[in-house]
Amino acid sequence: MSTTNGQTTNTALPVYTKKDFESGVDPRWCPGCGDYSIINQVQKTLPAVGVKRENIVFISGIGCSSRFPYYMNNYGMHTLHGRAPSFASGLKVSRPELQVWIITGDGDALAIGGNHFIHAMRRNLDLKMLMFNNRIYGLTKGQVSPTSELGKKTKSTPQGSPDYPFNPPALALGAGATFVARTIDVEGIHMGGVIKAAAEHKGSTFVEVFQNCPVFNDGAYTFLTEKAVKADALLRMEQGKPLLFGKDGKKGIRFNAQSAELEVVTIGENGVTEKDILVHDAKREDPTVAFMLANLSNRAGFPTPIGVFRDVRKPTGEELTWQIIDQTKAKKASSLEKLLAGADTWTIK
């Protein structure tokens, strides 16, 4: 891939395998950490994204997840706490031909890095953020994080947290992200599909990965992942398909026109048919329905959605920046003499 005035073009690509993206440094996370699953899926997916390895960059902040660049065999930066989006933004604007990934955690992205996070999403720079959400501070040994549940007892909140948690996909949607998704560390095939879709998107990309911390927050997502409950607990969003869930696939999400809210219904009860079920469309320009789906996980009696909430194409921040640069260059004088004698001169009396 090459670039001219901010425009990218494809050139012949080598045939990669997963091993080509392994650095040879053994990952060092705690046994059972969900990070192993995430890096495995990333390394499996990258050979198929159509980008040369030397044009792929991973940038991280601070936290357990931020060891990631050391274990990838491509360019990377391990930066400052919460500031990975700032480094990534500068790199993407100056080198638009690069595919830039941000690896972060719930504390790194949403606490000290919260302001950087929302502006990276707002500007719609073509940055691909993977946020590992274990609902705890892992590297600093078990303090409450911005995604910890209300009432969570930790080392920093021994009597229980009085703070309501962030809903990361809803926050990303509210900030203007053009691609928002969620997946789970134990759902390898699903995660691989979401990562592939994120790699193919052009614009601000946010993927929340529910990730277990076996040391400081073990079992944080068992209410979703246990075999006995996950059929009823998870709503798998697929483009163009009705939003169905449950062991027999008879439960679904319907839009109630009277209350202007989503509701759970069962096919075959009270005259409900599959035609009543909301068909998922992540390509809607208006993010209202995506926002409603993102908030289902906060409501009792509703399943937690996984998959792609939103995937729309808009001019990216770097495309608009280079457009301004090119327009400005075209207006400027072709020589220093013409520039000095141009319209922007003044006389001192």
Side-chain angles (χ1 to χ4, degrees):
M1 186 173 291
S2 60
T3 182
T4 303
N5 292 334
Q7 302 300 313
T8 56
T9 56
N10 288 319
T11 57
L13 294 169
V15 177
Y16 294 119
T17 66
K18 176 178 181 288
K19 192 171 182 62
D20 290 315
F21 290 92
E22 298 173 356
S23 70
V25 177
D26 292 333
R28 301 188 68 178
W29 289 302
C30 299
C33 178
D35 291 6
Y36 289 103
S37 173
I38 300 169
I39 196 169
N40 181 55
Q41 290 303 322
V42 169
Q43 290 170 336
K44 280 184 175 181
T45 302
L46 288 181
V49 301
V51 180
K52 286 186 177 180
R53 186 175 59 183
E54 58 267 30
N55 283 344
I56 300 175
V57 184
F58 281 82
I59 299 177
S60 65
I62 297 296
C64 296
S65 63
S66 295
R67 301 170 184 258
F68 207 94
Y70 296 108
Y71 310 137
M72 298 297 301
N73 188 23
N74 48 262
Y75 289 107
M77 302 180 195
H78 189 177
T79 68
L80 305 177
H81 202 2
R83 272 66 176 183
S86 299
F87 285 83
S89 296
L91 180 61
K92 185 63 184 181
V93 171
S94 61
R95 294 287 304 278
E97 78 276 15
L98 300 180
Q99 185 179 91
V100 182
W101 295 79
I102 300 170
I103 303 298
T104 186
D106 45 307
D108 186 53
L110 302 179
I112 191 170
N115 199 44
H116 301 277
F117 167 79
I118 61 174
H119 289 294
M121 297 298 105
R122 173 184 68 84
R123 298 176 69 196
N124 196 36
L125 291 164
D126 185 23
L127 303 174
K128 305 174 190 311
M129 179 182 290
L130 300 183
M131 193 196 80
F132 303 7
N133 185 3
N134 55 24
R135 294 182 169 179
I136 203 77
Y137 274 98
L139 188 66
T140 52
K141 310 299 186 284
Q143 297 85 0
V144 69
S145 91
T147 58
S148 297
E149 314 92 287
L150 181 68
K152 181 77 172 180
K153 292 184 177 181
T154 72
K155 292 179 179 178
S156 59
T157 56
Q159 305 304 318
S161 172
D163 297 332
Y164 291 95
F166 267 134
N167 180 334
L171 180 63
L173 287 164
T178 51
F179 183 100
V180 178
R182 176 191 283 143
T183 187
I184 308 177
D185 58 0
V186 296
E187 296 274 343
I189 295 175
H190 184 272
M191 192 197 320
V194 168
I195 292 171
K196 180 70 159 45
E200 292 171 347
H201 179 72
K202 191 79 169 175
S204 53
T205 302
F206 175 76
V207 178
E208 177 186 36
V209 185
F210 284 165
Q211 174 250 328
N212 192 50
C213 174
V215 176
F216 297 108
N217 201 21
D218 194 25
Y221 296 108
T222 54
F223 70 99
L224 297 175
T225 59
E226 289 293 319
K227 186 176 181 179
V229 301
K230 69 178 183 178
D232 289 316
L234 287 177
L235 174 65
R236 299 174 185 272
M237 301 179 294
E238 298 182 63
Q239 179 66 19
K241 295 185 178 182
L243 293 170
L244 296 168
F245 66 103
K247 293 179 181 179
D248 56 3
K250 295 295 184 181
K251 293 181 180 180
I253 302 297
R254 179 174 70 178
F255 180 77
N256 187 317
Q258 289 186 323
S259 64
E261 292 184 328
L262 301 181
E263 60 183 3
V264 174
V265 295
T266 302
I267 295 175
E269 294 183 4
N270 301 316
V272 175
T273 69
E274 188 169 315
K275 291 183 179 179
D276 296 310
I277 306 302
L278 183 65
V279 174
H280 185 53
D281 184 8
K283 303 293 185 180
R284 285 189 182 96
E285 180 69 25
D286 188 326
T288 301
V289 175
F291 190 78
M292 295 173 75
L293 287 168
N295 279 293
L296 286 189
S297 52
N298 293 337
R299 299 177 62 186
F302 284 83
T304 295
I306 60 173
V308 180
F309 294 96
R310 189 182 194 216
D311 182 2
V312 299
R313 178 71 165 100
K314 295 170 62 177
T316 65
E318 72 276 6
E319 287 172 340
L320 295 174
T321 298
W322 278 94
Q323 181 180 329
I324 292 171
I325 290 172
D326 290 340
Q327 290 172 348
T328 304
K329 283 182 177 179
K331 293 177 182 178
K332 290 296 182 182
S334 58
S335 68
L336 179 59
E337 182 181 359
K338 289 182 178 180
L339 177 63
L340 294 175
D344 295 329
T345 61
W346 62 92
T347 301
I348 300 176
K349 296 182 179 178

